[in-house]
Each structure stands twice: as C-alpha cells, then as structure tokens.
Amino acid sequence: MQFIQAIVNLGAAAMMPIIFFVVGMMFRLSVGKAFKAGMLVGIGFTGVNMVINLLLANLGPASKAMVERIGLKLTVVDTGWPTASTIGWGSPIMPVLVIGFLAVNALMLVTNLTKTVDIDIFNYWLFLLVGAVSYAASGSFWFAIIGTLIIFAVTLVVADLTAPWIQRQYNLKGISFPHLTCLAWVPFGIAANWIVDKIPGLNKIKMDPETIQKKFGVFGEPLTLGFILGIAIGLMAGYSPTKIIALAINVAASMYLLPKMIDVLIEGLVIVRDQVEGQLKKWFPKRKFYIGMDTALLIGEPSVLATGLILIPIAIVLAFILPGNKVLPFVDLASLMFLLALITPFVKRNMFRMMIAGALVLICIFYVGTDIAPFYTKAAIESKIAVPKGISSMTNIVGTATTWIGWGFIKISQFFGAIF
C-alpha cells in the first residue's frame, strides 16, 4: 500500500508514464519505444493538466463571483473534486479497497467478464469516495467494501458496453472509460436525446461544432466560441472590462490548446495500445481488450468544453430556483464539462441536447447532494479533513457520491446501518 500510495502521490502526469513504460515492456515493446511512449503520455498529461488548470484557475474565481453576486444563501457547500479525492484516498477503507479493485479487475479479465484493463489507478478515488460516504452512512466496514467492489465491477462492464460508441465518436480505438462519475449520466443523455427527438421543432435544432462553424465561419470556431463565452461569464461575474478580456482570452486559449495537448498524449498511447493489441491477439486470438483511461482525454472535444461553460450560469440559476435544494454550487462549477464527456456520443455532439441533458444531471446532483450532505461531511471528518470555517455541511457536484448510483448505494447503506 505504501508503494501504491507513493505512485499515486506522483500525480497522473508522473504516474502514467511509469505505467505505460512497464506495460510496454511487459508486452515486448523495445526499451526505446516503451520509453518514448511513456514520455509522450507523460508530456501529454502534463500539457492537459496545465491547460485544464489554466481554465479552472480562471473560471473558478469567475464562478464564485457569479454566486456571490446573485447572493445565494445555501447551507451545503460544494467543496470540489480535489477535496472529494482526498476524502476517498484518506478513508479508513482505502487500503482494502485498492487491493480489491486490482484483484477484481484481474479476476474479471481472467474469467472474460470484462474487456477493460483499468490502468488509471489515480482515479480510483471515484470509487473510494462512494465507499467512504457509504461507510459513514452504515458504520459497517465490510458492507461498504463489498458494495463498492460490486459497483467497481459493474462499472467495468458498463465501460465495455459504452466503449464502441465512445471509440467511434472520439476516434480512440481500444480505449474505454471506467469512470462512474461520467458513466452514471449516460442514461440522462440517452433520455434527453429521445425526448428532443419526439418534440417537433426542437428535433430540428442542430448545434454541433461543425454546423456552427459552417454557419458563422471564424466566429463559430472553438477559439472564438471560447472567447465569446468567456466574455459572457465575465459580464455575469461583474468583472471589469480588463478582467473580462483576460478571462475571455484564457478560455479561448484553453479551447484551442487542449485538443493539441491531447493529441500528444494519444500519440504515446497509440504506440503502447498497438503493441498490446498485437500481443493479445497472439495470446488470446478470440478476445478483445480495452485500456481503461481518464476522461480528461475527452475534454478537448469543442462541444464538451463549450457546453460545460454554458452550464455554469444554468447551474447557478437551478440552485436558486429548485425547491428544497440546499447545495451551493461553488468549487466544481469550473469542472462541469466532465459531466458531459461520455454523454456526447449519445446526443451526436449536439450542444442543444447536451444542455438539456446537463440541466437534468444538475437537478439530480443538487437533490442528491442535499440528501447525502450529513454522510458526506461525516466521511470528510473520518478522512481527517477539517471542515472549513463557516461551513456546516459539504458535498461536491462533480463526483461519484452525488450520482444517482452513488445515492442509491448510500441510501441502502443507511438502511443497512439502521437495522444492524
């Protein structure tokens, strides 16, 4: 566990090159090619993280300014995914679960129950968070562990089922995305697509990036769209003209640079993927395997980024008008695009349909976040996280605990804890 924790502490940008180098060597890639592949993946992840951090560093303060300007007074504060990941990795059940995840994935591969080899150990926190909150709800160590391992196993199967759609949409052969935070919302995308298809007039609206660019030329390009959305967000945040222009340029830069950084990452990924695929076809000629990766690979899609930005003011308005909601959207407002990454293929990159799906997702998140806040806060305390001064209750809106699947497991845990 100390070794695993040391690797995780390196962060994805340093951890993934090591993993890809080792995987390359295991599958008989030459040392030089394995090194190059690992370095390209590491450089790509570093670039992706730099651009995402640039985006979040600029959107975060703007989102907070929008919340403060509207004057939302809600009691359950969204403390963001960084705090959520710390809760997961700091939970008392973490050591057993991490070993369990590795064992379950290996067993399912051997028994042909999954095609996905989940090498994205850094994002195990997505499952650890659900386990931590369910442990806080039930008080049962083993119930939380067994339930979380079941959720992990089901996620691998769902990742297999969604992989062909995602591979076609993003041109990522041999990749799957076993991320519960994103996979949980795929049914919402399918539902939104079905609903819009049934409504005359709305079913004719086409807002994919290519259609927008064709209609508006340079004004429909991702960098221009990012600039316009940055100005809109700056105005809603009450920024000065100079701060608005700075925000707009940084958002435009993020939308332009992120796909290019992802291309570098994919270049390294392809080297290892092709070698692994070739060897596995020799060893297991009748089987297919997927490499489980981080959904950060998908954030560079223009429709995902643009719709994520549009959802920021929508989230604030929904928090204000939804009866019974107590969640104050805050830190994770800048990360809403992650909720859309796996929805995109099922709505054919139509940003209008993505906005509808995103609104439905946010409504669900706000009510789930309100309901599980006591257990989420308890899980944070059990993970040795001090609740910030002035905050009595906390949650996060881009995480697994506030998905409908996480909520179901946490409520079952609560029921189980009350009986036993």
Side-chain angles (χ1 to χ4, degrees):
M1 281 312 308
Q2 287 179 340
F3 174 75
I4 292 173
Q5 190 66 57
I7 295 294
V8 169
N9 288 342
L10 293 173
M15 181 178 71
M16 296 308 289
I18 296 172
I19 291 175
F20 271 85
F21 177 78
V22 171
V23 170
M25 295 299 295
M26 285 173 58
F27 286 88
R28 301 178 181 178
L29 200 62
S30 68
V31 175
K33 284 189 174 181
F35 175 78
K36 180 181 179 180
M39 288 302 296
L40 284 171
V41 169
I43 292 166
F45 259 110
T46 300
V48 168
N49 287 336
M50 286 172 63
V51 178
I52 289 177
N53 288 336
L54 171 69
L55 185 64
L56 299 186
N58 284 275
L59 285 180
S63 301
K64 292 174 184 177
M66 289 168 65
V67 170
E68 291 167 0
R69 198 175 184 209
I70 291 176
L72 290 179
K73 302 296 181 183
L74 300 167
T75 56
V76 180
V77 179
D78 158 38
T79 52
W81 71 263
T83 300
S85 66
T86 306
I87 292 172
W89 284 111
S91 171
I93 64 175
M94 182 273 290
V96 177
L97 274 178
V98 170
I99 294 171
F101 294 151
L102 296 170
V104 166
N105 196 176
L107 180 62
M108 291 180 69
L109 287 167
V110 169
T111 55
N112 201 18
L113 292 175
T114 187
K115 302 180 184 73
T116 295
V117 184
D118 188 3
I119 65 172
D120 189 20
I121 297 172
F122 180 79
N123 280 307
Y124 275 178
W125 74 264
L126 299 169
F127 302 99
L128 293 170
L129 177 64
V130 175
V133 180
S134 66
Y135 179 44
S138 69
S140 172
F141 186 88
W142 290 108
F143 180 84
I145 285 174
I146 292 170
T148 307
L149 290 176
I150 291 171
I151 289 175
F152 177 76
V154 172
T155 301
L156 292 177
V157 174
V158 177
D160 291 347
L161 295 174
T162 55
W165 294 77
I166 296 161
Q167 290 172 14
R168 283 195 299 269
Q169 180 63 71
Y170 292 99
N171 194 27
L172 288 172
K173 180 184 173 186
I175 306 298
S176 68
F177 295 90
H179 282 199
L180 181 58
T181 300
C182 303
L183 283 175
W185 304 121
V186 167
F188 284 64
I190 295 171
N193 196 60
W194 183 85
I195 291 168
V196 174
D197 272 338
K198 302 298 179 184
I199 302 175
L202 294 185
N203 58 9
K204 302 297 182 184
I205 297 175
K206 194 174 182 182
M207 286 180 59
D208 60 88
E210 288 75 20
T211 300
I212 293 172
Q213 187 170 345
K214 187 176 180 181
K215 283 186 177 180
F216 299 101
V218 68
F219 295 103
E221 291 186 7
L223 62 90
T224 310
L225 191 58
F227 184 79
I228 293 169
L229 289 171
I231 288 176
I233 291 171
L235 288 170
M236 287 184 281
Y239 276 6
S240 66
T242 52
K243 288 187 71 175
I244 290 173
I245 294 299
L247 174 64
I249 291 172
N250 282 313
V251 172
S254 300
M255 292 193 70
Y256 183 78
L257 291 173
L258 195 52
K260 297 184 181 301
M261 295 299 101
I262 290 172
D263 285 345
V264 175
L265 193 158
I266 291 174
E267 184 182 347
L269 182 99
V270 166
I271 296 172
V272 174
R273 184 202 65 195
D274 289 349
Q275 180 69 18
V276 169
E277 188 176 53
Q279 286 296 327
L280 287 175
K281 280 182 178 178
K282 292 179 183 177
W283 297 339
F284 308 99
K286 296 182 180 180
R287 289 198 59 186
K288 181 184 289 186
F289 293 90
Y290 301 140
I291 298 175
M293 289 293 292
D294 189 342
T295 46
L297 279 178
L298 311 179
I299 303 304
E301 159 62 41
S303 62
V304 173
L305 267 176
T307 313
L309 294 173
I310 295 168
L311 279 183
I312 293 174
I314 292 175
I316 295 170
V317 171
L318 286 173
F320 183 75
I321 66 174
L322 287 176
N325 171 55
K326 296 181 181 177
V327 174
L328 176 68
F330 206 52
V331 178
D332 269 346
L333 277 173
S335 303
L336 294 181
M337 64 280 295
F338 284 91
L339 299 175
L340 304 169
L342 299 186
I343 287 176
T344 307
F346 299 93
V347 295
K348 300 175 183 176
R349 301 170 71 238
N350 189 319
M351 292 191 289
F352 175 70
R353 300 185 182 204
M354 288 169 69
M355 280 188 279
I356 293 173
L360 294 174
V361 167
L362 287 168
I363 291 169
C364 182
I365 286 172
F366 285 143
Y367 283 124
V368 169
T370 298
D371 189 55
I372 68 164
F375 305 121
Y376 190 99
T377 307
K378 182 180 177 183
I381 294 169
E382 288 176 349
S383 297
K384 305 295 188 293
I385 294 175
V387 178
K389 187 177 180 181
I391 296 176
S392 59
S393 196
M394 54 198 286
T395 189
N396 82 297
I397 58 177
V398 182
T400 45
T402 46
T403 62
W404 62 274
I405 297 173
W407 177 80
F409 180 43
I410 292 162
K411 297 307 287 185
I412 293 171
S413 302
Q414 182 185 6
F415 177 76
F416 179 88
I419 293 177
F420 300 99

